[in-house]
């Protein structure tokens, strides 16, 4: 056992706990088989105690809300209440003939229903259609579609959308290689001797159990990762090492990379792991060009929370320290200039930077539905999204999707697969080849994955580890019988004409979509508001 301060290439001098002197290139002298006793980053101005990520000991404090709460209302009751409120709004004489005000008020009711019971949204749309006799085919139009925006949003912007749009910039034949990785969900508490098939989510922790076999270990976690578990350190290291060789970028790298957040594990609040090794690894393996990052619901503590500034006073700015801290790490890696930290620290870590070639990168945590309709494709060239852990396209259509055709297909955001295998997924990432002079011209899309199902067979030996493979090239896999030139872009029109073939990220643990699921999947992909399960391209 070695315990002391060792010279670490990328982390400075860190006191570490390491069992055995193993030459680990990913972390310098830091051994993958142990966690850090103390982590001391110059930019962080604090030390992180080992117990915050100790895989053998978990906080025992009870964080359950002690206040009694009323009985939960059923989803059907919420639906009935929402419908009554919308009917009351429609019959209220106060707004007079201002139908847009009534529409917006009704949408506010619909939003609250969808937040509380998402599956009731399409049913509400169908019920409203039937009550007001909007159509004779309400079921066909709304039962399997997410609630669409019914109000005219043109008044939301200072200037109208350009009409006609400027002609597209012609591709030069040169390409930008853009690497995209997301949903790391690094799990420093991953314990190989625990249970990978536990009763209560999430598994692969020392404190989990299996009610069917409480005293017997039936399925231990594989060394490199398991389904229903977040990313162990070793899987992250393997993924980092695989990036350059498998994408053919050894020696020349990427033009830039995108990291769309979610770094920490899916822990409960009282066990939330604080672990921030990933940024330096990402810089080492995809650099030296910038990595443009954003944050999500698993990058903050408390998780899922971003206090609105509209609260005012000290409450409204109580998370500014976190925004400054995260953006300072981006600056420390050389990804963004100092001015970004100044802005991001008071704007939920949102920022914009302009690349040397004139391309502007905008990073923010928001819902872009209306922005996409107004500014695509002449201003917004490409959208890269995160958080679902599922890999799939969404298609946005002009005029809020009132007509869904190949001609009205407007934008197709690229939604990133996850590195974590949690919820029966394969671990993955992808690379896009974009036009140097026109980022809307994505000519190639390559998806890569590692088969988690093979990891158990790698235990008990040290000769070989996991590997990542090319899963598919989108142009080759989806072209089928449609007429599409070899240089035509993989844009929204392309995705409208093609069909999903690679489901569940080639994971053997998931259930493929068949029967009625197929048209439902297509409806949701085309709604621009996908629901996990219907919309996956994993």
């Amino acid at each position: 056992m070695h315990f002391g301060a060792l010279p670490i290439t990328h982390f400075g001098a860190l006191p570490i706990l390491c069992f055995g002197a193993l030459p680990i290139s990913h972390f310098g002298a830091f051994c993958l088989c142990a966690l850090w006793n103390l982590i001391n980053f110059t930019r962080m101005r604090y030390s992180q105690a080992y117990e915050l990520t100790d895989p053998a000991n978990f906080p025992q404090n009870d964080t359950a809300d002690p206040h009694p709460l009323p009985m939960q209302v059923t989803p059907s009751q919420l639906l009935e209440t929402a419908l009554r409120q919308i009917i009351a709004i429609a019959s209220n004489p106060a707004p007079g003939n201002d139908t847009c005000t009534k529409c917006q008020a009704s949408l506010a009711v619909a939003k609250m229903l969808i937040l509380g019971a998402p599956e009731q949204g399409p049913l509400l749309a169908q019920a409203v259609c039937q009550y007001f006799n909007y159509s004779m085919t309400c079921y066909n139009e709304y039962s399997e579609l997410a609630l669409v925006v019914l109000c005219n949003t043109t008044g939301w912007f200072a200037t109208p959308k350009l009409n006609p749009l400027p002609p597209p910039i012609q591709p030069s034949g040169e390409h930008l290689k853009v690497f995209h990785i997301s949903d790391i969900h690094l799990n420093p508490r991953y314990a190989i001797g625990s249970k990978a098939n536990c009763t209560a989510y999430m598994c692969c922790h020392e404190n989990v159990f299996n009610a069917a076999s409480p005293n017997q270990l039936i399925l231990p976690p594989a060394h490199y990762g398991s389904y229903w578990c977040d990313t162990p350190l070793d899987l992250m290291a393997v993924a980092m090492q695989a990036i350059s060789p498998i994408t053919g970028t050894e020696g020349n790298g990427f033009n830039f990379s995108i990291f769309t957040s979610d770094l920490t594990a899916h822990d409960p609040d009282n066990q939330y792991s604080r672990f921030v090794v990933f940024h330096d690894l990402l810089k080492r393996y995809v650099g030296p060009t910038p990595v443009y990052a954003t944050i999500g619901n698993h990058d903050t503590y408390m998780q899922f929370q971003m206090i609105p500034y509209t609260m005012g006073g000290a409450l409204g700015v109580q998370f500014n320290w976190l925004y400054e801290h995260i953006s300072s790490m981006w600056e420390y890696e050389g990804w963004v200039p100092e001015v970004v930290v100044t802005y991001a620290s008071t704007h939920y870590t949102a920022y914009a930077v302009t690349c040397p070639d004139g391309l502007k990168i905008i990073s923010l945590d928001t819902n872009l539905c209306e922005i996409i309709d107004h500014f695509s494709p002449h201003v917004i060239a490409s959208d890269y999204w995160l958080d679902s852990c599922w890999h799939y396209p969404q298609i946005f259509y002009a005029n809020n999707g009132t007509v869904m055709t190949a001609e009205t297909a407007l934008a197709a955001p690229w939604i990133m697969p996850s590195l974590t295998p949690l919820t029966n997924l394969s671990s993955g990432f992808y690379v896009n080849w974009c036009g140097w002079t026109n980022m809307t011209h994505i000519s190639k899309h390559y998806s890569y994955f590692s088969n988690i199902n093979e990891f158990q067979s790698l235990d008990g030996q040290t000769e070989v580890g996991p590997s990542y493979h090319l899963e598919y090239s989108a142009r080759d896999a989806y072209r089928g019988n449609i007429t599409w030139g070899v240089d035509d872009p993989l844009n929204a029109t392309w995705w409208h004409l093609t069909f999903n073939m690679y489901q569940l990220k080639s994971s053997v643990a998931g259930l493929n979509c068949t029967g009625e699921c197929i048209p439902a999947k297509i409806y949701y992909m085309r709604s621009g508001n996908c629901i996990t399960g219907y919309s996956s391209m994993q």
Side-chain angles (χ1 to χ4, degrees), residues 43-44 46 276 320-329:
R43 298 291 298 197
M44 290 182 178
Y46 69 84
V276 285
N320 277 9
W321 69 269
L322 176 67
Y323 307 147
E324 188 273 339
H325 169 67
I326 294 176
S327 55
S328 292
M329 287 195 291

Side-chain angles (χ1 to χ4, degrees), residues 11-15 36 38-48:
F11 300 116
L14 303 180
W36 305 9
L38 290 173
I39 300 176
N40 194 340
F41 284 91
T42 304
R43 298 291 298 197
M44 290 182 178
R45 301 186 292 276
Y46 69 84
S47 296
Q48 174 169 303

Side-chain angles (χ1 to χ4, degrees), residues 266-437:
H266 291 84
D267 289 327
D269 285 336
N270 69 320
Q271 300 171 8
Y272 199 47
S273 301
R274 302 167 177 91
F275 200 73
V276 285
V277 67
F278 175 72
H279 289 89
D280 271 23
L281 287 178
L282 193 59
K283 179 179 180 179
R284 181 186 300 189
Y285 285 103
V286 306
T289 54
V291 176
Y292 298 112
T294 189
I295 69 168
N297 59 324
H298 282 93
D299 298 287
T300 61
Y301 187 85
M302 305 290 284
Q303 54 188 328
F304 309 108
Q305 295 189 23
M306 295 182 73
I307 304 301
Y309 291 126
T310 53
M311 291 188 67
L315 288 178
V317 298
Q318 61 183 295
F319 276 3
N320 277 9
W321 69 269
L322 176 67
Y323 307 147
E324 188 273 339
H325 169 67
I326 294 176
S327 55
S328 292
M329 287 195 291
W330 298 339
E331 182 202 4
Y332 182 70
E333 302 296 353
W335 297 341
V336 297
E338 184 178 1
V339 66
V340 163
V341 180
T342 304
Y343 185 88
S345 61
T346 57
H347 291 82
Y348 310 103
T349 70
Y351 66 90
V353 293
T354 301
C355 302
D357 59 5
L359 177 68
K360 175 171 280 190
I361 305 289
I362 300 174
S363 171
L364 68 164
D365 182 11
T366 187
N367 187 325
L368 288 173
C369 298
E370 307 309 325
I371 300 176
I372 287 177
D373 187 23
H374 191 75
F375 291 107
S376 295
H378 60 296
V379 176
I380 300 177
S382 293
D383 312 279
Y384 294 85
W385 291 10
L386 71 324
D387 192 61
S388 70
C389 294
W390 299 65
H391 184 200
Y392 57 88
Q394 287 183 326
I395 305 176
F396 288 86
Y397 296 85
N399 300 317
N400 292 320
T402 51
V403 178
M404 296 181 181
T405 65
E407 291 72 27
T408 62
L410 191 63
W414 297 88
I415 300 178
M416 178 64 199
S418 64
L419 196 70
T420 179
L422 188 67
T423 64
N424 287 339
L425 308 179
S426 293
S427 176
F429 47 80
Y430 72 71
V431 173
N432 277 349
W433 287 33
C434 311
W436 188 279
T437 57

Side-chain angles (χ1 to χ4, degrees), residues 196-266:
N197 59 339
C198 65
T199 299
Y201 166 96
M202 137 180 100
C203 303
C204 301
H205 282 176
E206 289 284 1
N207 65 336
V208 301
F209 69 96
N210 188 318
S213 58
N215 300 316
Q216 183 180 4
L217 180 59
I218 297 177
L219 181 65
H223 183 85
Y224 289 100
S226 300
Y227 299 121
W228 292 105
C229 308
D230 269 329
T231 305
L233 296 176
D234 288 8
L235 177 58
M236 183 185 70
V238 168
M240 293 296 102
Q241 270 199 326
I243 292 170
S244 292
I246 198 173
T247 60
T249 55
E250 291 179 295
N252 52 7
F254 302 97
N255 293 91
F256 63 87
S257 300
I258 298 172
F259 169 47
T260 44
S261 80
D262 276 13
L263 180 56
T264 59
H266 291 84

